[in-house]
Amino acid sequence: MVKISDRLKTAASLIREGAVLADVGTDHGYVPIYLLEQKKIKSAIAMDINKGPLERAREHIHLYGMDAYIQTRLSDGVAALEKGEADSILVAGMGGGLVMHILEEGKDICQAAGELILQPQSELCSVREYLAENGYVTEAERMVFEDGKYYPMMKARKGRESYVREIDYRFGKGLLEEKNQVLYQFLLKEQKSLETVKARLESANTKTAKARQKEIEIDLNYAKEALKEYEV
């Protein structure tokens, strides 16, 4: 049995049963192998922009006897994917800017899929805003703490988003509604960190420090607002 990290295992859990998966940025190809071992998906297309990782993925696919079920393709985002060819698209382990670039460049292909499973490493607020502005609804959200880092992820499909508050975009409406404990620990850590930075800036009497202090106060207020969700 192939072993994958908790963050990838959690992202994999969001993929619907019986899907044909397109794994964008597949790296070692472990996620589609894992899902086929679990008999959760029908087949997969493992894609990567770099030849090295794709060759490693091919080796692992062959090692686990999955050649008949997993194709490999050299691809910049979803460029090598045909419209309607996959009904689930996984984009994990990339910065938020790159995730949005992939979704935008392959808009028709991504919108034709039944679901997107996204695990941006940054710019979570911007990714959620992009999804809402482009006709997606966030159906489910998860968050994992692993190796000292926090990994939020989401499952999106075509629909009307119901996000209305800034904290929904910043931290995830679904995570706040369920009072997700990993997010709670993140918010506590974020509040403490922001308060420390704020105190340091208050002692530095410069225009730059004052401008930065205002930005920190905005972030701190949103963190505190999100924490109030856990008091209800």
Side-chain angles (χ1 to χ4, degrees), residues 111 129-138 156-161:
Q111 290 187 344
E129 287 174 349
Y130 176 89
L131 291 172
E133 289 167 2
N134 285 275
Y136 291 98
V137 60
T138 303
R157 60 172 175 78
K158 292 299 292 180
R160 182 174 293 180
E161 188 56 89

mmCIF file of all heavy atoms in Angstrom, residues 111 129-138 156-161:
data_model
loop_
_atom_site.group_PDB
_atom_site.id
_atom_site.type_symbol
_atom_site.label_atom_id
_atom_site.label_comp_id
_atom_site.label_asym_id
_atom_site.label_seq_id
_atom_site.Cartn_x
_atom_site.Cartn_y
_atom_site.Cartn_z
ATOM 1 N N GLN A 111 -14.351 24.223 -15.536
ATOM 2 C CA GLN A 111 -15.782 24.400 -15.307
ATOM 3 C C GLN A 111 -16.597 23.214 -15.814
ATOM 4 O O GLN A 111 -17.703 22.971 -15.340
ATOM 5 C CB GLN A 111 -16.255 25.706 -15.951
ATOM 6 C CG GLN A 111 -15.722 26.942 -15.237
ATOM 7 C CD GLN A 111 -16.301 28.242 -15.757
ATOM 8 O OE1 GLN A 111 -16.882 28.289 -16.831
ATOM 9 N NE2 GLN A 111 -16.139 29.306 -14.977
ATOM 10 N N GLU A 129 -12.210 34.111 -3.210
ATOM 11 C CA GLU A 129 -12.851 35.194 -3.958
ATOM 12 C C GLU A 129 -12.930 34.832 -5.445
ATOM 13 O O GLU A 129 -13.953 35.079 -6.091
ATOM 14 C CB GLU A 129 -12.071 36.499 -3.774
ATOM 15 C CG GLU A 129 -12.246 37.117 -2.395
ATOM 16 C CD GLU A 129 -11.348 38.320 -2.176
ATOM 17 O OE1 GLU A 129 -10.431 38.548 -3.010
ATOM 18 O OE2 GLU A 129 -11.543 39.030 -1.175
ATOM 19 N N TYR A 130 -11.863 34.250 -5.976
ATOM 20 C CA TYR A 130 -11.854 33.846 -7.387
ATOM 21 C C TYR A 130 -12.970 32.838 -7.654
ATOM 22 O O TYR A 130 -13.696 32.949 -8.652
ATOM 23 C CB TYR A 130 -10.500 33.236 -7.757
ATOM 24 C CG TYR A 130 -10.478 32.718 -9.182
ATOM 25 C CD1 TYR A 130 -10.105 33.536 -10.239
ATOM 26 C CD2 TYR A 130 -10.878 31.400 -9.467
ATOM 27 C CE1 TYR A 130 -10.125 33.071 -11.550
ATOM 28 C CE2 TYR A 130 -10.909 30.932 -10.775
ATOM 29 C CZ TYR A 130 -10.527 31.770 -11.807
ATOM 30 O OH TYR A 130 -10.565 31.311 -13.101
ATOM 31 N N LEU A 131 -13.103 31.859 -6.799
ATOM 32 C CA LEU A 131 -14.131 30.837 -6.980
ATOM 33 C C LEU A 131 -15.526 31.459 -6.979
ATOM 34 O O LEU A 131 -16.360 31.148 -7.834
ATOM 35 C CB LEU A 131 -14.022 29.780 -5.875
ATOM 36 C CG LEU A 131 -12.783 28.875 -5.934
ATOM 37 C CD1 LEU A 131 -12.696 28.018 -4.679
ATOM 38 C CD2 LEU A 131 -12.787 28.003 -7.177
ATOM 39 N N ALA A 132 -15.773 32.347 -6.010
ATOM 40 C CA ALA A 132 -17.084 32.990 -5.913
ATOM 41 C C ALA A 132 -17.381 33.838 -7.143
ATOM 42 O O ALA A 132 -18.497 33.829 -7.670
ATOM 43 C CB ALA A 132 -17.155 33.844 -4.646
ATOM 44 N N GLU A 133 -16.368 34.563 -7.613
ATOM 45 C CA GLU A 133 -16.553 35.458 -8.762
ATOM 46 C C GLU A 133 -16.717 34.698 -10.073
ATOM 47 O O GLU A 133 -17.228 35.237 -11.050
ATOM 48 C CB GLU A 133 -15.354 36.414 -8.866
ATOM 49 C CG GLU A 133 -15.325 37.461 -7.755
ATOM 50 C CD GLU A 133 -13.993 38.181 -7.668
ATOM 51 O OE1 GLU A 133 -13.098 37.882 -8.510
ATOM 52 O OE2 GLU A 133 -13.828 39.010 -6.759
ATOM 53 N N ASN A 134 -16.287 33.428 -10.097
ATOM 54 C CA ASN A 134 -16.351 32.645 -11.325
ATOM 55 C C ASN A 134 -17.391 31.529 -11.273
ATOM 56 O O ASN A 134 -17.313 30.552 -12.022
ATOM 57 C CB ASN A 134 -14.965 32.075 -11.650
ATOM 58 C CG ASN A 134 -14.018 33.126 -12.187
ATOM 59 O OD1 ASN A 134 -13.998 33.411 -13.374
ATOM 60 N ND2 ASN A 134 -13.251 33.751 -11.295
ATOM 61 N N GLY A 135 -18.374 31.727 -10.404
ATOM 62 C CA GLY A 135 -19.529 30.843 -10.412
ATOM 63 C C GLY A 135 -19.363 29.506 -9.737
ATOM 64 O O GLY A 135 -20.011 28.524 -10.101
ATOM 65 N N TYR A 136 -18.481 29.441 -8.727
ATOM 66 C CA TYR A 136 -18.309 28.214 -7.964
ATOM 67 C C TYR A 136 -18.877 28.381 -6.557
ATOM 68 O O TYR A 136 -18.860 29.480 -5.989
ATOM 69 C CB TYR A 136 -16.830 27.847 -7.831
ATOM 70 C CG TYR A 136 -16.170 27.404 -9.108
ATOM 71 C CD1 TYR A 136 -15.414 28.290 -9.870
ATOM 72 C CD2 TYR A 136 -16.286 26.087 -9.556
ATOM 73 C CE1 TYR A 136 -14.783 27.885 -11.031
ATOM 74 C CE2 TYR A 136 -15.663 25.676 -10.723
ATOM 75 C CZ TYR A 136 -14.916 26.572 -11.456
ATOM 76 O OH TYR A 136 -14.299 26.170 -12.613
ATOM 77 N N VAL A 137 -19.348 27.290 -5.987
ATOM 78 C CA VAL A 137 -19.734 27.259 -4.586
ATOM 79 C C VAL A 137 -18.786 26.293 -3.872
ATOM 80 O O VAL A 137 -18.427 25.236 -4.419
ATOM 81 C CB VAL A 137 -21.211 26.813 -4.401
ATOM 82 C CG1 VAL A 137 -21.439 25.415 -4.963
ATOM 83 C CG2 VAL A 137 -21.620 26.867 -2.934
ATOM 84 N N THR A 138 -18.344 26.663 -2.692
ATOM 85 C CA THR A 138 -17.473 25.794 -1.903
ATOM 86 C C THR A 138 -18.348 24.819 -1.131
ATOM 87 O O THR A 138 -19.060 25.205 -0.216
ATOM 88 C CB THR A 138 -16.585 26.614 -0.951
ATOM 89 O OG1 THR A 138 -15.821 27.547 -1.729
ATOM 90 C CG2 THR A 138 -15.636 25.721 -0.178
ATOM 91 N N ALA A 156 -14.933 22.458 -4.530
ATOM 92 C CA ALA A 156 -15.799 23.448 -5.171
ATOM 93 C C ALA A 156 -16.485 22.847 -6.384
ATOM 94 O O ALA A 156 -15.937 21.977 -7.059
ATOM 95 C CB ALA A 156 -14.986 24.668 -5.576
ATOM 96 N N ARG A 157 -17.682 23.307 -6.657
ATOM 97 C CA ARG A 157 -18.432 22.911 -7.852
ATOM 98 C C ARG A 157 -19.191 24.133 -8.368
ATOM 99 O O ARG A 157 -19.272 25.151 -7.685
ATOM 100 C CB ARG A 157 -19.408 21.775 -7.533
ATOM 101 C CG ARG A 157 -20.429 22.138 -6.470
ATOM 102 C CD ARG A 157 -21.505 21.096 -6.302
ATOM 103 N NE ARG A 157 -22.394 21.412 -5.199
ATOM 104 C CZ ARG A 157 -23.379 22.301 -5.238
ATOM 105 N NH1 ARG A 157 -23.605 22.999 -6.352
ATOM 106 N NH2 ARG A 157 -24.142 22.535 -4.183
ATOM 107 N N LYS A 158 -19.759 24.022 -9.552
ATOM 108 C CA LYS A 158 -20.524 25.130 -10.116
ATOM 109 C C LYS A 158 -21.748 25.409 -9.246
ATOM 110 O O LYS A 158 -22.451 24.501 -8.826
ATOM 111 C CB LYS A 158 -20.968 24.802 -11.540
ATOM 112 C CG LYS A 158 -19.829 24.716 -12.544
ATOM 113 C CD LYS A 158 -19.062 26.017 -12.673
ATOM 114 C CE LYS A 158 -19.895 27.106 -13.315
ATOM 115 N NZ LYS A 158 -19.155 28.390 -13.439
ATOM 116 N N GLY A 159 -21.985 26.685 -8.973
ATOM 117 C CA GLY A 159 -23.114 27.066 -8.130
ATOM 118 C C GLY A 159 -22.928 28.470 -7.602
ATOM 119 O O GLY A 159 -21.920 29.126 -7.880
ATOM 120 N N ARG A 160 -23.886 28.912 -6.823
ATOM 121 C CA ARG A 160 -23.839 30.271 -6.277
ATOM 122 C C ARG A 160 -23.266 30.249 -4.866
ATOM 123 O O ARG A 160 -23.796 29.579 -3.980
ATOM 124 C CB ARG A 160 -25.248 30.890 -6.276
ATOM 125 C CG ARG A 160 -25.281 32.332 -5.773
ATOM 126 C CD ARG A 160 -26.660 32.930 -5.925
ATOM 127 N NE ARG A 160 -27.021 33.090 -7.337
ATOM 128 C CZ ARG A 160 -28.183 33.598 -7.732
ATOM 129 N NH1 ARG A 160 -29.096 33.966 -6.846
ATOM 130 N NH2 ARG A 160 -28.438 33.722 -9.031
ATOM 131 N N GLU A 161 -22.196 30.991 -4.660
ATOM 132 C CA GLU A 161 -21.549 31.034 -3.352
ATOM 133 C C GLU A 161 -22.354 31.868 -2.367
ATOM 134 O O GLU A 161 -22.994 32.856 -2.748
ATOM 135 C CB GLU A 161 -20.131 31.617 -3.488
ATOM 136 C CG GLU A 161 -19.283 31.540 -2.240
ATOM 137 C CD GLU A 161 -19.141 30.137 -1.710
ATOM 138 O OE1 GLU A 161 -18.213 29.421 -2.119
ATOM 139 O OE2 GLU A 161 -19.984 29.758 -0.865
#
